Amino acid sequence: MAAALQVLPCLTRAPLRPLLLRRPVVRLASGMALAEQAQQLFQSAVGAVLPGPMLHRALSLDPGGRQLKVRDRSFQLRQNLYLVGFGKAVLGMAAAAEELLGQHLVQGVISIPKGIRAAMEHASKWEMLLKPHSRVQVFEGAEDNLPDRDALRAALAIRQLAEGLTADDLLLVLISGGGSALLPAPIPPVTLEEKQMLTKLLAARGATIQELNTIRKALSQLKGGGLAQAAYPAQVVSLILSDVVGDPVEVIASGPTVASAHNVQDCLHILNHYGLRAALPRSVKTVLARADSDPRGPHTCGHVLNVIIGSNVLALAEAQRKAEALGYRAMVLSAAMQGDVKSVAQFYGLLARVAGTHLTPSVARASEEEAAKLHELAAELQLTDLQLEETLEAVAGARVPVCLLAGGEPTVQLQGSGKGGRNQELALRVGAELGRQPLGPIDVLFLSGGTDGQDGPTEAAGAWVTPELASQAAAEGLDMATFLAHNDSHTFFCRLQGGTHLLRTGLTGTNVMDTHLLFLRPW
């Protein structure tokens, strides 16, 4: 209000000037209101996939407490139940499982990210924590989502528990995103450092999560069905919170309870594609050669029941309901958003332009060239479930503001040594795209956030931007292109307006990839 009062004396001298001054103030206030709503929707998406509710919907005990029911299957309980788990959401999953199963649980071992227990305690999320006298042993490791010696110790403890089971036992396996880094057990003579180095090189060159996991499985004792094989002949029930596009159980956490469908030739093709085959350590070549000539052939996992209990689709559905309750016409574009972050940002920039002109009939339609480029980008990104035409038709018929939702996991090809994550980099790139040309009389806001609450090695989940991002950055002497060239999105958003644009949730205790929200609201 004070800023508005300061311009009132100008009214008598220049009647038009206050109108020109007021517009940015109104847009700024509108942008902040949209940002608050965007963060509400993001929180609702995360809330829908918290581990406790997910697990309780999947598991139940019969009234007599002698059978464990998992969806439509039943398993006899007679002091024969064991538990292992690994992933960013597994602490909460294990707490819920132990609360439900009580004395039936004999022993458990879980591997969780370093610092997550302290974070849950600090946030008073007691439902995510095991009780003081829990039968579940907890290992913390994989700092910054990278396998380390602590995670290796956890993996070996999990393997030891699994190998000690008999045909009378039942192993409950809890899996969520981040599980690959938390379950490193390289096949000798490959060392943890060699496997970690190869994973880093692949990630830096833009390898997809599917490609990374194909390599990890080939070099691991426990991934690619290795854990299920270690537990045989015990029955295995695997409860999975998916962090992979399409929810393929063989990919999530590198499929420790799913027989691998990949062979050595698949690995070599990936390594060739990224120019890394010649640089392989001798130990990796040895393991790949040995696997190629394994007389036993691929093992099966007929003793395993794999169940997806939560996914990005569920998170988006809840955010959609929340948006509709706030008065938006809300549509889910895709839960399979993937591909290079630059192309994804261009897609969202064009989508805002094309959808915006559908929403505001008084503005000239987007050019045929823009519409064609949008469809071309969609085809390049191979978004298998994309509802683009249906969404644009719905936008054209909307009489209210619009919220377009999507989820997935774009990839970033590292060029610099800055600090950031894929969500903050995507937001920064979308902000640059939105500012390339006027979008007409419409408020636009884009938010990208990781549902685990941690985007890369930062304390932010993501960020939100508006078309004014470039002018805001210029006013503070921040060159967006330089930050992007160094993959330094987190530093950019920390410096911009005191970090106002950062999405800060703290660790959420769950992980179902990322959520993208695009708001379009006519003036």
Side-chain angles (χ1 to χ4, degrees):
M1 290 302 294
L5 287 174
Q6 288 173 4
V7 303
L8 286 178
C10 299
L11 282 170
T12 57
R13 292 176 295 184
L16 295 178
R17 189 163 179 77
L19 296 178
L20 295 174
L21 288 174
R22 284 179 60 204
R23 178 65 68 188
V25 175
V26 172
R27 296 276 65 79
L28 177 60
S30 179
M32 292 304 296
L34 272 180
E36 290 176 5
Q37 292 182 343
Q39 292 177 72
Q40 287 178 27
L41 264 60
F42 179 78
Q43 292 283 13
S44 68
V46 171
V49 288
L50 290 176
M54 293 282 100
L55 192 133
H56 278 284
R57 281 197 286 270
L59 291 183
S60 64
L61 292 175
D62 73 338
R66 295 185 178 276
Q67 283 191 333
L68 176 66
K69 295 185 178 180
V70 186
R71 299 282 166 89
D72 58 346
R73 292 274 300 274
S74 295
F75 299 87
Q76 291 292 327
L77 295 179
R78 44 181 182 272
Q79 288 297 300
N80 63 337
L81 181 61
Y82 295 81
L83 179 152
V84 297
F86 31 90
K88 294 179 180 180
V90 159
L91 180 60
M93 293 170 76
E98 189 167 39
E99 180 186 4
L100 174 69
L101 301 171
Q103 296 302 309
H104 292 291
L105 182 61
V106 179
Q107 181 188 358
V109 179
I110 62 173
S111 178
I112 60 174
K114 188 166 293 183
I116 198 166
R117 277 190 295 187
M120 295 299 107
E121 289 172 0
H122 181 73
S124 299
K125 295 183 178 180
W126 309 116
E127 72 281 3
M128 298 272 196
L129 295 166
L130 292 161
K131 300 296 185 291
H133 302 293
S134 171
R135 299 184 181 187
V136 179
Q137 184 180 10
V138 179
F139 289 84
E140 293 191 30
E143 192 168 10
D144 292 333
N145 204 32
L146 295 172
D148 55 20
R149 288 286 160 188
D150 291 329
L152 177 60
R153 280 191 286 272
L156 296 179
I158 287 171
R159 188 189 68 181
Q160 183 178 19
L161 186 152
E163 289 177 339
L165 301 179
T166 70
D168 294 326
D169 293 323
L170 174 62
L171 179 64
L172 186 62
V173 182
L174 308 178
I175 302 175
S176 76
S180 286
L182 288 157
L183 196 71
I187 299 173
V190 177
T191 66
L192 180 63
E193 290 75 18
E194 288 171 331
K195 188 177 175 185
Q196 188 172 355
M197 176 271 294
L198 183 56
T199 301
K200 279 183 178 179
L201 286 174
L202 283 164
R205 298 191 183 193
T208 66
I209 185 68
Q210 291 86 351
E211 290 170 330
L212 286 171
N213 285 350
T214 298
I215 300 298
R216 285 166 174 160
K217 285 188 284 188
L219 303 177
S220 174
Q221 299 179 54
L222 296 177
K223 299 181 174 78
L227 176 60
Q229 192 176 35
Y232 185 84
Q235 288 288 304
V236 177
V237 174
S238 184
L239 302 182
I240 305 165
L241 199 59
S242 172
D243 73 325
V244 180
V245 167
D247 307 333
V249 291
E250 71 277 8
V251 174
I252 302 164
S254 303
T257 56
V258 185
S260 178
H262 297 287
N263 56 36
V264 173
Q265 291 306 312
D266 296 321
C267 296
L268 295 178
H269 175 75
I270 293 168
L271 293 167
N272 282 332
H273 178 71
Y274 292 105
L276 292 173
R277 186 170 177 179
L280 291 179
R282 182 181 298 275
S283 60
V284 173
K285 293 178 181 178
T286 299
V287 168
L288 291 178
R290 188 188 304 158
D292 203 23
S293 58
D294 190 343
R296 296 173 299 173
H299 58 272
T300 60
C301 294
H303 58 301
V304 178
L305 172 63
N306 290 301
V307 181
I308 298 285
I309 65 171
S311 68
N312 191 267
V313 172
L314 294 173
L316 291 176
E318 181 57 33
Q320 182 182 23
R321 283 191 288 271
K322 178 70 172 177
E324 289 170 346
L326 291 173
Y328 288 90
R329 179 69 186 273
M331 290 146 286
V332 175
L333 271 167
S334 170
M337 193 63 66
Q338 56 186 337
D340 184 74
V341 70
K342 296 178 185 177
S343 297
V344 175
Q346 290 174 356
F347 173 82
Y348 280 125
L350 275 170
L351 178 63
R353 167 72 177 150
V354 175
T357 56
H358 278 66
L359 187 60
T360 53
S362 61
V363 176
R365 290 274 181 181
S367 69
E368 291 183 9
E369 184 181 346
E370 288 174 318
K373 179 62 176 174
L374 178 63
H375 286 82
E376 181 184 325
L377 274 171
E380 287 177 7
L381 291 169
Q382 299 180 344
L383 308 178
T384 54
D385 64 343
L386 182 66
Q387 304 290 312
L388 183 56
E389 288 301 330
E390 298 86 345
T391 296
L392 292 176
E393 289 176 12
V395 170
R399 297 291 181 266
V400 294
V402 166
C403 177
L404 307 181
L405 307 97
E409 193 169 281
T411 54
V412 176
Q413 295 194 37
L414 296 176
Q415 298 171 318
S417 57
K419 189 174 184 180
R422 62 178 178 267
N423 287 281
Q424 291 164 88
E425 174 138 346
L426 176 60
L428 182 51
R429 290 188 179 277
V430 170
E433 294 290 335
L434 293 176
R436 292 195 189 281
Q437 59 179 313
L439 294 173
I442 186 170
D443 288 324
V444 179
L445 183 140
F446 176 80
L447 178 146
S448 182
T451 54
D452 61 352
Q454 184 177 32
D455 185 35
T458 77
E459 294 182 355
W464 61 269
V465 295
T466 65
E468 293 75 35
L469 185 69
S471 59
Q472 292 167 344
E476 298 193 30
L478 301 174
D479 181 25
M480 293 167 60
T482 299
F483 284 97
L484 284 170
H486 292 89
N487 299 113
D488 205 15
S489 55
H490 184 66
T491 304
F492 172 86
F493 282 117
C494 282
R495 293 182 183 176
L496 180 71
Q497 299 181 340
T500 303
H501 287 251
L502 285 170
L503 176 64
R504 298 183 187 274
T505 63
L507 294 176
T508 62
T510 191
N511 183 20
V512 293
M513 300 188 293
D514 306 332
T515 297
H516 305 155
L517 305 172
L518 179 63
F519 292 82
L520 305 168
R521 187 169 66 184
W523 296 351

